[in-house]
Amino acid sequence: MRGTKFTAVFTVLLALLVSVWVSAAPASAGVIRNRSNSVPLLGPTEPVDPGTFVSLPPFRALDTRGGSPAGPDSAVSFQVGGVSGIPANVSAVVFNLTVTGSQSFGFVSAFASGTARPNASNVNFGVGQTVANSVTVPVGANGKVSLFNRSSGTTQLIADVSGYFMGKLMPPEKPVLTPPASITTIPGTDTGTVNGGGTVGVGQYEFTISEPGTYPARGFAYAVTNANAPSSMPVNLSCETPRVAAWVVVCPSDGRKATATVGPIDYTTTISVWAFDYAGNVSYPTTYQFRVANSIPVPSTVLPITAPSGGSWVPVATQANGTPYATASCQGDASTGYPGSTTIDALQLNGAPGQFGETLAPAVNTAESFSVSGWFCATNPAPGGTTTQSLITQIADTGDPGLAVRLNPDGKLEMDTLTTSNTLEQVVDPFGVVANQWFFLSAAYDKGNKQLRVTVSSAGFAGTWVTAAAPASHLPSTTQPVRLGEGFSGQILNPVITQGILTSDQFTSAQRQFTPTTQGILK
């Protein structure tokens, strides 16, 4: 068996040139950039480093001549953060300050709103004078700048903003997730149901992802899970690596809108989406759940297996739900000590070279979606060296494993598939298997979502791991057999490998299809 194929910014360099009105500095090296007053245009390769200066076509942010002038020894404030294309987290602003119509001599001090007023002058003026000067001043936490009129008379003030400095980057806004018209949202919730019912593992639904923040996102990352949303945030996201662990990354050219095509993986499917910016900051997630009403049939066809030389079928005592009772060893009759319990035959192997059970026909085509499950008890799950113990393998038409559920030399459980370009796809349980202890595995290759999923339950513990598989085609298997336990030492009980995606309940239901004399694989 040719199973051995499974191997697995910018630095700110420009000085600011500001005249009494504005001097439009060149957008060199992506550090100084022009903005319109309405829609900030952030290109897909431009950084937004803290401290970067961004020039703007001048716009009037304050003109007291249309209202009340600054009173004697009084301050007026105006908003800059979050207006006219300026981000809410701006650290400083550049504007031209004009004093006119003054009733007394004096000066004006500019400072960040909400902070102590400095005893300093930005513009000095006499009675009736019109005087202007360029001002660069920090912005308050509320996004405002204050101007203090230090004189005994009223004064008219005008502020024309021409640029700003980026502040400390904050996470992007939560993206907006919009389901397609084929899913009806329950009013007031982020949940919906598929029109016409829908079926687990069948069909795809295109969700729209939108960025509502001031600036476009660098990209979005989404994950598809069952009813439970991921408990952790994606990290180290990159548009150059579109599939990172369980997450799929999409980077639209405008940074505003993308699509996520999702298939139902259970009766309830959750899509979770994050936005990330050029500095790697990640937003809070937005989630949406949708339900389908139907599932594929529970597998019921048995592919017989004859125990190989040196192997045997041995009885295992099981509980009412099909769970095998704990035993001290994964070798020999496991029914003793539990009188009256239901016994089901398990395939027992001793790890001898070339020893494995085999069907006469394939169970699934591994180029399409499939589900795998079974109970396993390993005598020596971590033999060391380079020894790999295969549990279930569907051979592809090439003679390579189209699917392999196996224990690696460290005793960690993994499910592997191969693409048509011989690229390894793999999802791994990182915790490892305990010797002489039963564990239940349920796993799937989901072609629609391009995912590998594996859930392992053992001694009251359960964990699920997901890998976003490559979009490439997978090796087909249409003529080759299934092998059980190649190189494995232990027992295999109630193995299932079937086409399509089973629900979590169906994995349990499939176990009830086995009888005391079922000696084979359920498909």
Side-chain angles (χ1 to χ4, degrees):
M1 168 179 165
R2 301 201 300 271
T4 56
K5 290 191 178 180
F6 279 88
T7 61
V9 209
F10 291 89
T11 301
V12 177
L13 299 175
L14 301 180
L16 171 63
L17 301 176
V18 181
S19 67
V20 170
W21 184 247
V22 66
S23 176
S28 175
V31 174
I32 298 177
R33 302 182 295 278
N34 293 322
R35 294 286 185 268
S36 71
N37 288 343
S38 55
V39 180
L41 303 176
L42 183 59
T45 61
E46 294 180 283
V48 285
D49 304 313
T52 298
F53 175 74
V54 182
S55 65
L56 291 170
F59 71 93
R60 187 147 291 175
L62 172 71
D63 189 344
T64 61
R65 294 175 302 178
S68 301
D73 286 334
S74 298
V76 296
S77 299
F78 62 98
Q79 185 78 32
V80 290
V83 299
S84 298
I86 300 176
N89 64 316
V90 61
S91 64
V93 67
V94 177
F95 62 94
N96 190 71
L97 173 61
T98 302
V99 176
T100 189
S102 55
Q103 301 298 306
S104 174
F105 68 90
F107 63 90
V108 174
S109 296
F111 59 98
S113 179
T115 65
R117 172 175 61 88
N119 188 23
S121 170
N122 291 97
V123 177
N124 297 309
F125 55 86
V127 177
Q129 279 190 311
T130 296
V131 185
N133 194 21
S134 177
V135 175
T136 301
V137 65
V139 176
N142 58 1
K144 293 183 178 182
V145 169
S146 294
L147 303 174
F148 186 81
N149 172 33
R150 179 64 184 93
S151 73
S152 59
T154 61
T155 303
Q156 301 287 0
L157 302 176
I158 304 167
D160 296 298
V161 175
S162 58
Y164 62 90
F165 288 88
M166 290 296 301
K168 180 181 179 181
L169 291 178
M170 304 300 289
E173 293 290 329
K174 288 176 58 174
V176 175
L177 192 56
T178 305
S182 55
I183 296 178
T184 299
T185 299
I186 300 172
T189 72
D190 292 322
T191 60
T193 57
V194 172
N195 300 339
T199 302
V200 175
V202 178
Q204 293 182 309
Y205 303 92
E206 192 171 274
F207 287 75
T208 300
I209 309 170
S210 304
E211 171 53 49
T214 301
Y215 280 98
R218 179 70 181 96
F220 305 100
Y222 69 89
V224 180
T225 57
N226 57 11
N228 299 313
S231 59
S232 60
M233 295 172 60
V235 295
N236 300 324
L237 297 175
S238 169
C239 294
E240 289 66 45
T241 53
R243 312 187 84 79
V244 181
W247 296 286
V248 179
V249 176
V250 288
C251 294
S253 59
D254 63 357
R256 287 292 179 184
K257 190 169 288 188
T259 57
T261 303
V262 179
I265 69 173
D266 210 322
Y267 288 119
T268 297
T269 301
T270 300
I271 174 173
S272 305
V273 184
W274 297 258
F276 64 95
D277 62 18
Y278 290 81
N281 297 297
V282 181
S283 72
Y284 288 103
T286 297
T287 61
Y288 188 95
Q289 288 187 343
F290 66 97
R291 288 187 56 82
V292 296
N294 307 299
S295 60
I296 64 173
V298 173
S300 58
T301 301
V302 177
L303 292 180
I305 286 180
T306 300
S309 175
S312 60
W313 291 95
V314 295
V316 170
T318 62
Q319 303 175 48
N321 61 359
T323 301
Y325 284 103
T327 58
S329 172
C330 292
Q331 294 287 333
D333 186 335
S335 65
T336 59
Y338 300 97
S341 63
T342 300
T343 61
I344 299 178
D345 282 348
L347 180 62
Q348 178 174 285
L349 304 162
N350 59 24
Q355 183 189 85
F356 51 83
E358 189 171 60
T359 64
L360 295 177
V364 296
N365 181 359
T366 50
E368 305 298 329
S369 296
F370 59 79
S371 299
V372 184
S373 67
W375 284 97
F376 306 91
C377 188
T379 304
N380 185 17
T386 59
T387 302
T388 295
Q389 301 183 64
S390 178
L391 304 177
I392 300 178
T393 301
Q394 170 67 70
I395 305 300
D397 294 343
T398 59
D400 301 297
L403 147 75
V405 176
R406 61 185 191 169
L407 294 172
N408 66 25
D410 295 326
K412 295 179 179 178
L413 187 67
E414 61 185 47
M415 184 176 78
D416 305 323
T417 61
L418 272 180
T419 69
T420 50
S421 60
N422 281 335
T423 300
L424 175 68
E425 301 281 340
Q426 185 178 81
V427 59
V428 181
D429 168 4
F431 294 107
V433 171
V434 178
N436 297 305
Q437 181 173 290
W438 286 102
F439 66 90
F440 182 71
L441 169 140
S442 59
Y445 163 60
D446 186 338
K447 181 179 180 180
N449 288 299
K450 299 178 178 61
Q451 279 189 343
L452 300 180
R453 301 188 293 267
V454 62
T455 298
V456 180
S457 303
S458 178
F461 169 81
T464 297
W465 295 269
V466 178
T467 293
S473 299
H474 282 60
L475 285 181
S477 50
T478 59
T479 61
Q480 298 301 307
V482 179
R483 290 178 179 173
L484 283 186
E486 186 169 16
F488 174 66
S489 177
Q491 295 178 345
I492 299 174
L493 178 69
N494 297 357
V496 176
I497 175 169
T498 190
Q499 208 78 66
I501 302 299
L502 296 179
T503 69
S504 53
D505 291 341
Q506 285 180 308
F507 278 118
T508 301
S509 298
Q511 295 296 303
R512 301 191 185 100
Q513 303 298 313
F514 287 85
T515 69
T517 57
T518 301
Q519 296 181 345
I521 294 175
L522 203 64
K523 63 165 283 186

